[in-house]
Amino acid sequence: MMKSKADEEEYWNSSKFKAFTFDDEDDEFSRLKESKQAVNNIRRLVEEDDDEDDVEKVSWSGEPVGSISWSVRETAASNQKTDREPAFPKINTDTPTISKSNSGYSLSSLFKGEAGKSRGSFQTFNDSLSDSSVRLYAPELRKPKSEYKDYVSDWSPEETVQRMQQGKVVSLEKFRSLQDKLLLLDIAVSAHDGNVITAVLIYLKRTLSKEVLFRELESRQIALRHFIHYLTETRDQRLLLELLRALCRTEDMALLQYKEHLSIADENKRRDFLKSCLSLPFSAEDSAHVQDHYTVLERQIIIEATDRQAERGGKVEIFQKFPRRASILNMPLITTLYYCSFYHYTEPEGTYSSPLNIRQTFKISEKQYFVTALAARAKLKAWSDVDALFTSRNWLGFTRKKSPLSFQRVVDILQKNSAPTQVLQDYVALVDDADVRISLAQKHKCHDIIINTYRDLKDRQMLLGYRGKVERGSVEERKIDELLNNPQIRWKN
Amino acid sequence: MAHSARRRDCPELPDFSLLKRLARDQLIYLLEQLPGKKDLFIEADLMSPLDRIANVSTLKQHEVDKLYKVEHKPVVSTSDQLCFLIRPRIQTVKWICDVANADKAAGKFRRYKIIFTPQKFYACEAVLEEQGIFGDVTTDEWAFNLLPLDDDIISLELPEFFRDNFLAGDQRWVRTAGSALHLLHSLYGPFSKIYGIGRCSKMAYESWREQVEEGEQRTHQAEIGKVFLIDRDVDFVTPLCSQVVYEGLVDDIFRIKCGCVEFGPEVTSSDKSMKVMLNSQDKVFNEIRNEHFSNVFGFLSQKARNLQTAYDKRRGMDIKQMKTFVSEELKGLKQEHRLLSLHIGASESIMKKKTKQDFQELLKTEHSLLEGFEIRECISFIEEHINRQVSMIESLRLLCLLSITENGLLPKDFRSLKAQYLQSYGVDHLLTFANLRQLGLLVEQQPGETLTVMESKVGKLVNDKTAGKLTDAFSSLAKKSNFRALSRKLNLVPKSDEEYDLRVPRDMAYIFSGAYVPLSCKLIEQVLDRDGWTGLEEVTRLLNGHEFAVSGSTGGDSKTKSDAQRIILVMFLGGCTFSEISALRFLGRERGYKFIVVTTAITNSSRLLEALLDNHA
């Protein structure tokens, strides 16, 4: 948002903060003494915690009381009011502040070309705002008798909002015309107190038709967000959906409905519910995700039923050797792929539980598939499967090891699945970068690789250094000695 | 320690134990409002804060019979008086209504009292009314909104502030923040100067100012001179970075709750877990809390050697000397010994966990993102992270960091990473992604600058009020982070080719291994240096404005020189991290300030992101 510079400056110039002055009528000195004493009292009471008798009877929650030492007086103190000039200036809080709406522009007028709807009432509000802080404490005294209507319902909108902020009793029943209701709402919004905004919204919800309320909220974003939050918290899903529909926020609507699946425990019901979500107005992208969600759950239900039976039957070896720790239902897709790579690796591509089939159906990237299958097969210590994953044949029939994942990562995954050194070193050797290779080899104690790398680098010094690290009289030491004594190697150092 | 007390003229901190007394006495008063024996139901997340100010015997003294945790289940209590101490949450109130209605149906008569803290909401009372319980239940407010966690940390203990305010756009806690400030002002003020940045900060300031006007004015010697208010959404980068100062690390790994941490058996090297208070009272902790983790080991082993020497002194002592030793020193040494072994255990455990998850590589990625360097490599690192199903939160954290530092992801990257994320952690996270987009934490780059242009055009046509509405309308679309530009302007990322000695930090960047000066703290530094926002116009523009600096009329020149003017209260709306607190402590030592951090809650990357998850019912 860009405020025009002029506006900004104008505001700051006009908002000179007022100096601390005492009211003329006041006996300045006694005032000062009074407040000083009040402060000192608090200090003393807090520090000494003496239980002297209360002088004042104060109300905490409305009823008069006379017990428990200073904390009551603390509240009493905060309820007292002295008419002082504000010590700090007001600042522009950038939300629609009614007192500044003289131009009469409103968002709706900007977009819809209507004139500001409640312009007239804004003006009256402006007039009354100026002395509202004084009136707050004795409003009934300042009003001419002729204006005296009902005692409770006689507060002006801004007084009402102020009283609500202070937790005092108010009645909203007198705000009956749409104009009055909206004015009340706008004033609540300009007071930045979410509690009061919501309170007014609850009243509007009760006394306005949905159509009118929704229409008016559309141009009042802050109030709207409070209303949406209120409906979310009270779990009024139906009304919330209607609101979103009225606002044409179709994607939010779709997501909100989709969210309901989380509270459906039964997997079949959940699946059916997800199926019904497929027609919701998601974005194209999200729509595909929801479709996947449905398809995965559908599969999981089938796999779970079959596997549970197989496990109970006790005839399938893998379930005996590695009993399933949890059901596969509602797990993410990749977990499902891992599960299938673990229990159903060799199945033909036609079955639901075949990892290859899952890869195809959900368009899982090569890298992702590879990582998952690798982890699953390594977990089972099926090293030949691991080996096969990497092996590709070129057109001449030579095999070579290829990986969509850096071999460094591969080593990492294998190591985390406690692969033996013999297996690890095959893959460490495939790491391209010599430095990385050496540090990995050192970490996993693959002596051969280190020795060979130094040999290839013709780095006699490093090799000599490494000799000190291997065990005395070991195969490694002998190998290093052989290399060092090999006259055919032209060492670089 | 290497950077202890650079300036010796730092002023003394005010005593905040007063706040605890105040809260406790208010609670006692409220309990006395329901005379006779009663059972007390306490909202789960209020238990720890309550523990800090009162104990069971305090409650028992005021006729609390049994204590229960609010669990949203039917109650088993046999008491004829039930008291509920809760946060103002609709679902909790609904549960209380169910309890009361069940009693009614069973013909059981009881008295009920709800104490809302820190305040009650109309929406909660509306529930009582709807459920036909209004009038059967008395309600009260316990204005317990400031809990001192340490000498210089005060928490509102309102983690929900973050989500409610920034995600839902609900301003229900603005007045609470204003009231908290008001209380501090009346006890430790008057403040002479208030600076701030952020929409919520502005509103909290206004709310505070109104409350000052409503209430009485006091003139006493100020103990806190200046105040800085800052919204969490001004700086999301900092809380999303891995913490590497000791206290932050402990929080990231073990989760400090209300100033207390539970160390498991792996730390205590016994079979028991142990709850430990972490604050300045713990002498060992106090010396290492702000240190970069790489220094902690050295410090601890030095400390252990000293301890050994102190113990060894007793060799060759005669009986009399031994007696003095035992009565005067031994207890202290034993205490130190216990603390030392705990923190050594914790450090070891941290090391183990961090080496296991390739912490080095993770940090390297974070630093590259902050620097805007080798972004492709970062993306593939994040991708692999996701592919391997490493921690769901961690992946999300990296994605958000990528998005904020890069001003959004390229559409192609966004789609692909999102799809892979959903595959790895569940499609339910569609809802999480929607939240993150709304907050501007994880977004697709917008083609061109069309939005900004349109916004400023429209902005020029209308006045403040409508412009405010416009901002709201655009906010979900156009929350640009501008991190790169801000980083250049404020020099947040020191040149990487320079050596950074972490033992002798030269700036606040040390809290992130010298790689990044936290934006939030840098702003505070700059504004204090300049006594306002003058000269920072470009910066505030990049931060979407909402800055302010105001003086109170009582800020005379004689006072500005007093110690209180160097005591600065920084209020984080939406949470702050321990790293930020460490950075401010460092800044305070450098400039001769003392910072008091007031926060709606202590946060870190996990808490911040967990608050935005929506993959559960």
Side-chain angles (χ1 to χ4, degrees):
Chain A
M1 205 266 317
M2 301 276 295
K3 256 176 295 161
S4 70
K5 198 93 195 170
D7 273 0
E8 183 104 36
E9 273 160 20
E10 190 181 78
Y11 172 73
W12 284 107
N13 290 335
S14 64
S15 75
K16 49 167 196 311
F17 59 82
K18 298 169 200 155
F20 189 96
T21 55
F22 294 98
D23 285 347
D24 291 340
E25 310 101 289
D26 280 337
D27 177 356
E28 296 183 15
F29 216 67
S30 69
R31 279 286 200 174
L32 186 68
K33 268 166 85 182
E34 232 173 72
S35 39
K36 213 173 203 166
Q37 206 166 7
V39 176
N40 291 341
N41 272 347
I42 288 191
R43 290 262 133 171
R44 191 170 50 81
L45 288 164
V46 168
E47 277 150 22
E48 291 170 16
D49 196 25
D50 51 354
D51 271 335
E52 52 179 42
D53 279 341
D54 271 0
V55 189
E56 317 159 67
K57 298 254 185 270
V58 211
S59 114
W60 179 280
S61 55
E63 13 174 346
V65 285
S67 81
I68 225 184
S69 67
W70 66 272
S71 73
V72 182
R73 263 180 291 160
E74 175 67 20
T75 342
S78 74
N79 285 335
Q80 277 165 10
K81 155 93 180 160
T82 49
D83 287 336
R84 292 278 160 72
E85 289 293 308
F88 271 85
K90 218 172 143 68
I91 54 166
N92 163 25
T93 22
D94 238 65
T95 35
T97 332
I98 311 255
S99 51
K100 266 188 266 134
S101 66
N102 296 327
S103 77
Y105 274 109
S106 72
L107 191 70
S108 51
S109 70
L110 186 74
F111 286 119
K112 294 177 189 160
E114 296 169 28
K117 284 172 227 160
S118 39
R119 196 167 165 183
S121 43
F122 278 153
Q123 237 118 44
T124 53
F125 171 54
N126 275 335
D127 299 338
S128 58
L129 188 72
S130 50
D131 60 349
S132 59
S133 65
V134 185
R135 254 209 260 168
L136 171 70
Y137 284 87
E140 56 277 29
L141 298 179
R142 302 209 19 154
K143 293 224 163 160
K145 278 267 188 288
S146 57
E147 270 180 48
Y148 240 151
K149 281 172 262 165
D150 181 33
Y151 183 76
V152 180
S153 60
D154 203 28
W155 312 105
S156 72
E158 67 274 12
E159 283 163 348
T160 305
V161 166
Q162 249 166 339
R163 286 183 64 85
M164 289 173 90
Q165 279 191 281
Q166 290 157 350
K168 293 180 185 163
V169 179
V170 289
S171 162
L172 302 180
E173 300 303 325
K174 79 155 211 170
F175 298 95
R176 301 195 68 176
S177 73
L178 178 60
Q179 207 177 43
D180 283 353
K181 288 180 204 285
L182 294 176
L183 180 62
L184 183 67
L185 180 61
D186 289 339
I187 288 169
V189 167
S190 69
H192 318 302
D193 188 333
N195 179 30
V196 177
I197 299 172
T198 307
V200 172
L201 285 167
I202 293 172
Y203 172 66
L204 297 195
K205 175 181 171 238
R206 196 156 53 78
T207 57
L208 285 173
S209 83
K210 283 178 287 193
E211 292 72 24
V212 177
L213 179 60
F214 293 173
R215 185 189 72 208
E216 295 301 335
L217 284 178
E218 194 168 5
S219 59
R220 291 172 171 79
Q221 285 294 316
I222 293 175
L224 174 64
R225 294 185 76 183
H226 281 82
F227 195 54
I228 290 176
H229 196 213
Y230 172 71
L231 294 180
T232 311
E233 285 195 311
T234 51
R235 307 197 177 152
D236 195 341
Q237 181 89 343
R238 210 173 36 81
L239 191 59
L240 187 49
L241 284 172
E242 278 182 64
L243 171 64
L244 294 174
R245 189 173 299 124
L247 298 169
C248 300
R249 286 166 60 168
T250 49
E251 260 189 64
D252 291 340
M253 238 174 80
L255 283 169
L256 185 64
Q257 275 173 282
Y258 167 73
K259 191 180 177 180
E260 270 181 70
H261 83 265
L262 291 166
S263 47
I264 304 173
D266 179 84
E267 65 267 18
N268 289 308
K269 284 189 188 141
R270 192 186 261 220
R271 177 200 56 206
D272 296 344
F273 180 84
L274 284 171
K275 193 173 184 187
S276 74
C277 286
L278 296 178
S279 56
L280 294 174
F282 289 106
S283 67
E285 189 195 345
D286 286 358
S287 189
H289 295 313
V290 175
Q291 170 76 53
D292 279 358
H293 193 174
Y294 164 71
T295 318
V296 173
L297 183 57
E298 192 185 29
R299 266 181 199 231
Q300 285 170 342
I301 291 172
I302 296 167
I303 297 172
E304 178 66 25
T306 325
D307 288 5
R308 197 187 301 140
Q309 216 170 9
E311 194 176 32
R312 283 203 193 128
K315 297 240 170 64
V316 186
E317 194 196 347
I318 186 138
F319 291 117
Q320 299 307 110
K321 259 168 98 181
F322 304 95
R324 304 184 315 149
R325 284 213 207 105
S327 125
I328 192 63
L329 294 173
N330 296 318
M331 291 296 170
L333 173 63
I334 298 307
T335 312
T336 313
L337 177 63
Y338 180 88
Y339 174 97
C340 290
S341 303
F342 196 91
Y343 289 109
H344 303 279
Y345 194 61
T346 51
E347 277 175 22
E349 214 177 316
T351 66
Y352 265 167
S353 45
S354 143
L356 290 170
N357 188 308
I358 290 176
R359 177 185 178 176
Q360 277 272 309
T361 313
F362 297 98
K363 300 190 189 66
I364 292 170
S365 74
E366 189 194 2
K367 194 167 166 184
Q368 173 71 80
Y369 175 80
F370 193 84
V371 170
T372 315
L374 177 64
R377 298 325 285 171
K379 185 86 192 167
L380 281 169
K381 314 220 175 304
W383 307 121
S384 60
D385 288 343
V386 168
D387 195 55
L389 267 172
F390 293 94
T391 311
S392 70
R393 257 169 226 282
N394 68 8
W395 60 281
L396 290 172
F398 296 117
T399 63
R400 59 194 189 101
K401 285 211 161 82
K402 235 177 58 173
S403 164
L405 196 66
S406 73
F407 278 104
Q408 190 185 346
R409 253 323 144 244
V410 171
V411 172
D412 191 35
I413 292 173
L414 291 173
Q415 186 259 329
K416 283 204 170 113
N417 288 293
S418 41
T421 311
Q422 304 92 284
V423 176
L424 274 182
Q425 70 180 8
D426 283 354
Y427 297 94
V428 174
L430 292 166
V431 172
D432 259 344
D433 186 293
D435 290 338
V436 178
R437 188 163 66 233
I438 286 176
S439 80
L440 272 179
Q442 278 171 344
K443 195 167 152 197
H444 303 302
K445 307 213 160 34
C446 310
H447 303 295
D448 266 5
I449 295 171
I450 299 172
I451 296 166
N452 291 343
T453 306
Y454 287 144
R455 179 199 62 200
D456 296 346
L457 292 170
K458 311 214 185 306
D459 197 332
R460 192 184 151 91
Q461 291 307 317
M462 291 304 286
L463 198 56
L464 262 173
Y466 197 69
R467 189 175 179 277
K469 286 181 194 155
V470 298
E471 255 178 71
R472 281 249 173 128
S474 63
V475 194
E476 288 81 23
E477 196 186 47
R478 234 174 303 141
K479 183 171 174 185
I480 293 176
D481 288 339
E482 269 169 37
L483 284 172
L484 288 173
N485 296 329
N486 187 340
Q488 286 177 336
I489 301 176
R490 302 169 102 196
W491 299 103
K492 72 173 180 190
N493 49 25
Chain B
M1 205 65 242
H3 59 264
S4 59
R6 192 143 307 162
R7 281 180 62 156
R8 289 175 198 283
D9 59 343
C10 291
E12 288 290 311
L13 286 165
D15 175 18
F16 294 116
S17 59
L18 194 75
L19 295 167
K20 291 191 185 180
R21 290 276 292 277
L22 224 136
R24 183 173 56 229
D25 288 355
Q26 285 186 355
L27 178 63
I28 289 170
Y29 173 76
L30 289 171
L31 289 174
E32 285 184 353
Q33 294 296 96
L34 188 65
K37 277 205 172 225
K38 56 209 160 249
D39 283 358
L40 181 65
F41 290 77
I42 305 172
E43 189 113 58
D45 45 0
L46 277 173
M47 310 254 267
S48 297
L50 190 60
D51 260 340
R52 297 294 165 272
I53 60 149
N55 48 37
V56 179
S57 65
T58 324
L59 299 176
K60 297 271 175 193
Q61 275 164 23
H62 298 278
E63 298 184 274
V64 170
D65 191 18
K66 293 199 185 72
L67 284 167
Y68 297 94
K69 188 158 92 177
V70 168
E71 284 178 307
H72 298 242
K73 287 191 292 214
V75 304
V76 288
S77 164
T78 52
S79 175
D80 57 357
Q81 298 204 95
L82 305 184
C83 186
F84 301 90
L85 183 58
I86 60 167
R87 290 276 183 226
R89 292 180 189 137
I90 284 176
Q91 292 311 322
T92 315
V93 177
K94 271 197 176 150
W95 166 73
I96 295 172
C97 290
D98 291 346
V99 170
N101 274 326
D103 285 351
K104 266 191 193 175
K108 199 188 284 176
F109 177 79
R110 289 205 246 228
R111 293 179 67 181
Y112 312 93
K113 181 183 192 66
I114 304 179
I115 302 172
F116 291 102
T117 186
Q119 64 178 109
K120 63 181 162 197
F121 288 143
Y122 286 95
C124 294
E125 291 184 307
V127 173
L128 292 176
E129 195 176 337
E130 274 168 23
Q131 301 294 319
I133 296 301
F134 198 92
D136 299 338
V137 177
T138 54
T139 60
D140 254 318
E141 288 182 333
W142 178 33
F144 176 36
N145 46 20
L146 288 170
L147 174 68
L149 292 179
D150 207 340
D151 299 343
D152 59 350
I153 311 174
I154 304 174
S155 169
L156 276 72
E157 290 298 310
L158 280 177
E160 61 257 60
F161 186 106
F162 175 67
R163 185 174 164 125
D164 287 346
N165 190 77
F166 294 104
L167 183 66
D170 190 320
Q171 299 165 1
R172 59 172 57 163
W173 301 116
V174 168
R175 189 165 168 97
T176 316
S179 306
L181 205 53
H182 180 48
L183 181 59
L184 290 166
H185 178 254
S186 40
L187 293 177
Y188 306 101
F191 308 144
S192 60
K193 194 119 197 188
I194 299 187
Y195 316 96
I197 182 157
R199 290 168 56 94
C200 188
S201 291
K202 269 190 171 180
M203 293 190 278
Y205 165 80
E206 269 299 310
S207 167
W208 165 75
R209 192 189 53 76
E210 279 162 23
Q211 292 180 55
V212 170
E213 279 178 33
E214 284 163 17
E216 62 169 338
Q217 307 266 342
R218 302 184 180 124
T219 42
H220 56 88
Q221 190 60 51
E223 290 182 78
I224 297 173
K226 295 179 180 169
V227 175
F228 194 106
L229 301 173
I230 183 167
D231 282 19
R232 183 68 276 173
D233 69 352
V234 167
D235 173 16
F236 276 136
V237 173
T238 306
L240 286 175
C241 291
S242 294
Q243 305 196 70
V244 284
V245 288
Y246 186 67
E247 190 166 13
L249 253 178
V250 171
D251 189 36
D252 273 0
I253 292 182
F254 304 101
R255 296 215 174 201
I256 301 175
K257 200 171 141 199
C258 220
C260 178
V261 73
E262 184 165 355
F263 285 134
E266 80 277 12
V267 173
T268 57
S269 48
S270 67
D271 50 357
K272 279 192 304 256
S273 289
M274 196 190 281
K275 282 193 172 169
V276 188
M277 292 299 296
L278 292 179
N279 54 40
S280 54
Q281 303 298 310
D282 176 339
K283 295 285 170 268
V284 176
F285 176 68
N286 198 35
E287 285 190 75
I288 51 174
R289 66 195 308 186
N290 301 312
E291 288 297 317
H292 189 273
F293 190 62
S294 59
N295 291 340
V296 170
F297 270 135
F299 174 83
L300 289 176
S301 62
Q302 180 59 47
K303 201 84 182 158
R305 275 198 296 276
N306 295 350
L307 193 65
Q308 188 62 54
T309 327
Y311 269 125
D312 286 349
K313 267 201 323 202
R314 69 183 193 280
R315 279 194 209 128
M317 277 182 183
D318 61 29
I319 273 290
K320 205 175 153 208
Q321 284 168 321
M322 189 64 108
K323 213 172 156 189
T324 345
F325 176 80
V326 170
S327 66
E328 283 169 13
E329 283 180 64
L330 194 60
K331 192 164 171 257
L333 290 176
K334 273 190 174 160
Q335 165 79 352
E336 193 176 332
H337 182 234
R338 197 183 61 86
L339 293 172
L340 202 52
S341 60
L342 262 183
H343 290 296
I344 289 173
S347 303
E348 275 172 353
S349 171
I350 289 171
M351 273 305 273
K352 243 184 246 161
K353 289 207 173 104
K354 288 302 185 188
T355 38
K356 213 157 116 198
Q357 62 160 76
D358 296 323
F359 196 46
Q360 267 322 317
E361 227 173 322
L362 192 75
L363 285 180
K364 204 183 113 204
T365 305
E366 279 179 34
H367 294 170
S368 300
L369 288 174
L370 292 166
E371 219 179 324
F373 182 65
E374 294 185 331
I375 295 303
R376 274 292 126 203
E377 281 79 352
C378 293
I379 291 178
S380 56
F381 179 85
I382 299 171
E383 198 174 53
E384 265 177 32
H385 216 265
I386 294 170
N387 288 165
R388 293 172 64 186
Q389 292 183 298
V390 193
S391 146
M392 173 258 285
I393 286 284
E394 200 91 300
S395 295
L396 207 52
R397 180 172 75 83
L398 291 170
L399 283 176
C400 292
L401 212 47
L402 171 68
S403 173
I404 313 174
T405 52
E406 287 290 291
N407 245 341
L409 276 64
L410 293 173
K412 179 175 67 75
D413 292 332
F414 183 83
R415 287 209 183 117
S416 140
L417 288 167
K418 178 175 171 183
Q420 296 185 65
Y421 192 93
L422 298 179
Q423 290 185 342
S424 274
Y425 305 108
V427 182
D428 312 337
H429 283 290
L430 270 182
L431 301 156
T432 306
F433 274 81
N435 289 345
L436 292 170
R437 187 182 57 190
Q438 163 129 13
L439 209 55
L441 270 177
L442 182 50
V443 295
E444 238 175 293
Q445 267 172 26
Q446 296 300 321
E449 295 287 85
T450 38
L451 205 59
T452 347
V453 174
M454 169 166 138
E455 234 187 313
S456 65
K457 266 189 192 157
V458 179
K460 279 194 186 103
L461 295 173
V462 297
N463 63 1
D464 275 359
K465 177 197 166 207
T466 33
K469 283 191 177 171
L470 270 178
T471 311
D472 265 346
F474 284 129
S475 63
S476 57
L477 300 168
K479 218 171 256 162
K480 294 189 78 179
S481 71
N482 297 318
F483 178 78
R484 212 62 79 203
L486 281 165
S487 165
R488 268 196 303 276
K489 266 257 146 348
L490 291 168
N491 236 333
L492 299 181
V493 177
K495 287 198 181 67
S496 58
D497 47 357
E498 287 170 31
E499 272 299 308
Y500 198 103
D501 186 351
L502 290 167
R503 276 168 308 175
V504 195
R506 55 168 183 262
D507 55 22
M508 292 186 282
Y510 94 90
I511 65 157
F512 292 120
S513 316
Y516 163 63
V517 183
L519 170 59
S520 51
C521 304
K522 185 74 177 183
L523 286 173
I524 294 165
E525 176 205 278
Q526 288 295 306
V527 169
L528 289 175
D529 281 358
R530 296 157 194 265
D531 190 21
W533 295 92
T534 326
L536 295 171
E537 290 78 7
E538 178 67 9
V539 170
T540 55
R541 193 186 62 79
L542 291 167
L543 288 169
N544 305 318
H546 301 295
E547 78 283 3
F548 59 94
V550 287
S551 308
S553 50
T554 46
D557 340 49
S558 63
K559 280 201 172 156
T560 47
K561 287 192 190 73
S562 79
D563 273 358
Q565 298 312 310
R566 289 189 287 124
I567 303 227
I568 294 142
L569 189 153
V570 179
M571 188 172 195
F572 284 88
L573 295 160
C576 87
T577 64
F578 280 119
S579 292
E580 287 171 308
I581 297 176
S582 290
L584 288 177
R585 286 182 185 137
F586 173 85
L587 183 65
R589 282 192 301 270
E590 290 279 295
R591 306 281 161 99
Y593 295 133
K594 266 278 163 58
F595 285 98
I596 297 153
V597 172
V598 179
T599 178
T600 50
I602 295 287
T603 194
N604 61 23
S605 56
S606 307
R607 292 193 195 100
L608 193 131
L609 290 170
E610 277 160 12
L612 302 172
L613 295 184
D614 246 339
N615 65 327
H616 41 77

